[in-house]
Amino acid sequence: MSIQSKNENGSFGSFAEYWADGDWAPHVKMLHTGKRNTHALALLEQPAGAFPDPAMPEFHIQLVQRGNANLRMSFEGAEVRTQLNAGALFMAPANTKVDYEVDGPQKFVSLAINKALADRFRDQADIDLPKDFGQLHAQKFHDPIVEALMLRMLDQALLEHPTSDLFLDQATNTILTTLLCRSEIIPVIEEAPIVLSDDDLAKVSEMIEEQLDESFSVADLARLTSLSDWHFGRAFKNSTGLSPHQYVMRRRIARAKEMLGSSKMSIAQIAYACGFASQSHLNDVFKKKVGTTPRIYRMERRN
């Protein structure tokens, strides 16, 4: 199944609204919103499928309670693949659309923390805390303090005790502090935009051209550099203005146009030679990018 986000048209301004009234709603088993709108906590049971999260002004922390699925998470041109298990944590940046895909059911606790709260903590600190949470965004991680607090927050939210809101507020603050301190230990995202060196960009471009008719991943390209998959995606986009996927697709279309004008191969053969899954795949992408079909483009070039 696939869930579509409605945030693109401004329907939702926070994860609390999205979980309550969006397409996620059937999978939400419990939802608690902080009275001061600094956080929202949800218990979700996720079936296998694709689940996009819209860009929200909140950091999104997820704790796996049950399940053993494979996760594919992509955002800002980067892609992370990992296996989830109980106790695993992963964190999405604020103001960033994130696409998730899992191949099996999962039960997890989600905590959304308002970015403004994180900014206040950072401004009040006596040390120079990072503006982001570093590689916590780029990989799953385990933290016994965060895990214990999120599970206790879930218990308190379910109890609906008069002191629950006080505990949830304080627990959110402690989790935020823990993650900010942890991101000081793990290498953080550079302040200046990271870019690929000329040599790395040349190696990546050469591999793309040589293997344009094959299937390869961001991880395959990242291995040509010293960067993680996540940092590679950002560096590539900063260097070229395109995500790796967008760049590869542009090169495939360019090669298809060249072959349509000069080769006697059938359109199906050209599709496979350019790395498309089928002739219909080429037709769909070509019409979207060029404005006409491969057949008409070939006829016009020959005339």
Side-chain angles (χ1 to χ4, degrees):
M1 66 178 297
S2 178
I3 288 182
Q4 298 298 320
S5 163
K6 297 180 182 176
N7 194 55
E8 286 75 7
N9 61 16
S11 296
F12 305 113
S14 68
F15 276 111
E17 295 177 4
Y18 182 50
W19 292 331
D21 299 317
D23 293 318
W24 259 110
H27 309 291
V28 177
K29 305 305 176 183
M30 187 283 301
L31 176 61
H32 177 92
T33 304
K35 288 187 176 180
R36 284 178 282 188
N37 295 320
T38 56
H39 69 272
L41 183 75
L43 176 64
L44 305 105
E45 294 187 358
Q46 175 184 13
F51 296 80
D53 273 356
M56 297 290 187
E58 297 162 308
F59 293 102
H60 184 199
I61 309 161
Q62 299 190 63
L63 167 66
V64 179
Q65 269 201 309
R66 186 179 70 236
N68 194 32
N70 293 303
L71 166 73
R72 181 186 65 80
M73 180 172 72
S74 58
F75 55 96
E76 293 188 344
E79 183 175 288
V80 177
R81 292 176 181 267
T82 188
Q83 186 177 46
L84 298 179
N85 43 46
L89 290 154
F90 53 101
M91 187 175 188
N95 300 313
T96 303
K97 183 181 182 297
V98 182
D99 291 309
Y100 301 95
E101 185 174 350
V102 292
D103 62 2
Q106 294 286 124
K107 182 178 181 181
F108 55 93
V109 183
S110 280
L111 175 64
I113 302 179
N114 195 296
K115 186 177 183 298
L117 178 64
D119 291 341
R120 285 203 300 272
F121 268 65
R122 190 179 296 107
D123 293 341
Q124 293 168 5
D126 292 329
I127 60 175
D128 186 20
L129 291 171
K131 292 184 178 181
D132 214 322
F133 287 92
Q135 289 189 358
L136 293 184
H137 294 314
Q139 60 194 20
K140 72 176 181 182
F141 61 98
H142 292 267
D143 190 295
I145 296 175
V146 175
E147 180 181 358
L149 283 171
M150 287 184 67
L151 292 176
R152 185 62 187 275
M153 289 177 73
L154 177 63
D155 291 339
Q156 287 291 324
L158 291 170
L159 283 174
E160 297 184 347
H161 190 272
T163 61
S164 292
D165 283 320
L166 176 61
F167 178 86
L168 291 166
D169 283 344
Q170 294 304 316
T172 298
N173 294 345
T174 304
I175 288 173
L176 185 55
T177 305
T178 301
L179 293 174
L180 284 169
C181 292
R182 185 182 177 98
S183 65
E184 278 283 273
I185 300 170
I186 297 177
V188 300
I189 301 167
E190 292 90 339
E191 291 288 336
I194 55 174
V195 296
L196 294 177
S197 67
D198 291 342
D199 287 344
D200 282 347
L201 185 57
K203 286 189 292 185
V204 171
S205 300
E206 183 179 356
M207 177 181 168
I208 290 173
E209 293 300 322
E210 290 179 351
Q211 301 185 24
L212 206 56
D213 60 336
E214 302 175 19
S215 175
F216 50 87
S217 66
V218 171
D220 295 327
L221 299 175
R223 276 193 284 271
L224 298 174
T225 73
S226 60
L227 300 173
S228 68
D229 298 358
W230 188 72
H231 279 102
F232 171 79
R234 295 180 69 130
F236 188 92
K237 188 169 185 178
N238 288 335
S239 301
T240 66
L242 299 169
S243 70
H245 174 75
Q246 291 171 330
Y247 181 89
V248 170
M249 199 57 64
R250 177 173 289 189
R251 293 304 308 142
R252 284 177 171 157
I253 288 294
R255 179 172 293 183
K257 290 169 71 174
E258 179 182 347
M259 295 181 72
L260 286 166
S262 61
S263 171
K264 295 182 179 180
M265 295 170 63
S266 69
I267 293 177
Q269 290 173 320
I270 291 174
Y272 294 124
C274 295
F276 292 96
S278 64
Q279 181 176 337
S280 62
H281 184 205
L282 169 62
N283 288 341
D284 292 342
V285 177
F286 197 93
K287 187 170 184 179
K288 182 178 179 181
K289 299 296 184 182
V290 184
T292 188
T293 65
R295 184 181 65 82
I296 294 176
Y297 180 87
R298 167 175 268 180
M299 290 172 57
E300 291 176 344
R301 287 294 300 272
R302 290 181 174 177
N303 291 336

